[in-house]
Amino acid sequence: MVYILVCNLLLYFNPKIIVVVGGLAIDAKLHYPEYLFIDNQTGILYVSSYSLDYRKIDISSGIISSGPRRADSIFVGPNGEQWMTYYSRIYYMTPSGSVSTFAGTGSNTWKGEGVHKSAQGFYYAFYVWVDYDAVIYDQYDVYVSTVFRIFRISHSTGNTYTIVGTGSWNSNGNFGKVGNQTNLKDVRSFCVIPSTGDMLIANTNHHNILWWHKNTQIVDYVTGGEGDTSGVALADGRFGYITQIALDAMGNILFTDTSNHKIH
């Protein structure tokens, strides 16, 4: 059974959870739903699926339709344009539905700092976000997380730059240092604080959350399994595989503690 559940976060002490769509995977046209993106302008819920083209769900009517391709994550712009990640590439779809490669060669091999997006190798592009409001650097810059790095793709030049990550995961930690000295392992998602441009990072396979400060470039440890890289669920109050992270309207951090079957 596969379900998508919505919890009304306004009712913190008496939450109401309803099934938006789900059931037997083949009937509901879902198969292990993973990443979600809600377009508040249209009321459409975008859902990536483990082995199917991504799904578009009209929340008001419940009508499900298929996207043009498989995607690990989806970001929808204000005019209906879309960015999608899949394996080692980022794809772009125009509002009229034309899909093309936006960045990546299909290779996992990093090609160096400042390399153009068309020549850069992304070691599994997990999560994509577009800076429409220029809260970090420039308007329309694209940010993407991979296994070992979070990249910025400059809108003006198309060149790629590491925000956080060393290209290695062998030792967790290096907190309190600039981003390119901090090790990451499988960054499945991140979120940006609109008021500061800082970034909260789900450092998934190190089981922790990190905080990248825009002004200083320093990365601080927030919570989770500092120093643990065992890849197992942790039973001592820490976390196992933090895959998605978000902020609510009051500034609280919400995240999925996947191996422990919890949302915090």
Side-chain angles (χ1 to χ4, degrees):
M1 303 289 282
V2 179
Y3 297 95
I4 294 177
L5 303 178
V6 172
C7 176
N8 186 343
L9 294 175
L10 297 177
L11 303 175
Y12 279 100
F13 300 104
N14 187 23
K16 181 181 180 181
I17 300 176
I18 61 173
V19 176
V20 174
V21 64
L24 291 174
I26 190 170
D27 295 330
K29 301 181 181 178
L30 297 175
H31 187 220
Y32 296 111
E34 295 178 317
Y35 289 97
L36 303 178
F37 182 93
I38 300 175
D39 186 346
N40 290 314
Q41 295 185 89
T42 62
I44 300 295
L45 177 66
Y46 294 79
V47 186
S48 70
S49 184
Y50 179 74
S51 62
L52 302 170
D53 292 344
Y54 77 81
R55 299 306 193 227
K56 298 188 294 182
I57 303 167
D58 188 314
I59 296 175
S60 60
S61 68
I63 295 174
I64 304 173
S65 58
S66 297
R69 59 163 298 111
R70 290 174 66 178
D72 290 322
S73 68
I74 306 106
F75 183 95
V76 182
N79 299 310
E81 64 274 30
Q82 297 178 26
W83 284 261
M84 300 160 280
T85 61
Y86 190 66
Y87 280 121
S88 300
R89 286 191 170 99
I90 306 166
Y91 296 89
Y92 175 75
M93 186 173 77
T94 65
S96 62
S98 176
V99 180
S100 61
T101 297
F102 175 79
T105 63
S107 168
N108 289 340
T109 304
W110 179 63
K111 303 299 183 181
E113 291 297 322
V115 171
H116 192 266
K117 64 182 183 178
S118 62
Q120 186 60 275
F122 298 102
Y123 194 173
Y124 290 101
F126 288 126
Y127 189 79
V128 63
W129 180 82
V130 183
D131 196 353
Y132 273 90
D133 298 317
V135 297
I136 302 183
Y137 289 117
D138 296 323
Q139 196 171 20
Y140 306 123
D141 280 358
V142 175
Y143 294 79
V144 61
S145 68
T146 65
V147 172
F148 299 134
R149 301 175 189 267
I150 299 174
F151 289 93
R152 174 174 72 96
I153 304 174
S154 169
H155 172 71
S156 60
T157 66
N159 294 336
T160 58
Y161 303 94
T162 300
I163 298 296
V164 183
T166 64
S168 172
W169 61 270
N170 288 328
S171 62
N172 190 12
N174 292 339
F175 308 124
K177 297 185 178 181
V178 295
N180 62 10
Q181 297 179 17
T182 302
N183 294 323
L184 302 175
K185 188 179 181 185
D186 290 349
V187 179
R188 296 303 177 104
S189 69
F190 57 85
C191 67
V192 175
I193 302 172
S195 60
T196 64
D198 293 0
M199 185 181 291
L200 293 165
I201 300 167
N203 194 17
T204 303
N205 276 20
H206 280 323
H207 316 293
N208 56 35
I209 295 173
L210 306 179
W211 189 311
W212 174 78
H213 298 271
K214 171 188 172 181
N215 290 336
T216 64
Q217 311 292 300
I218 296 296
V219 177
D220 286 329
Y221 166 84
V222 177
T223 189
E226 183 174 8
D228 183 88
T229 58
S230 62
V232 298
L234 304 173
D236 60 354
R238 294 185 292 176
F239 313 111
Y241 295 115
I242 299 173
T243 53
Q244 277 206 284
I245 187 168
L247 286 174
D248 69 11
M250 294 186 290
N252 297 309
I253 302 171
L254 294 94
F255 59 93
T256 57
D257 182 9
T258 304
S259 293
N260 291 314
H261 315 291
K262 295 177 181 179
I263 297 173
H264 299 273

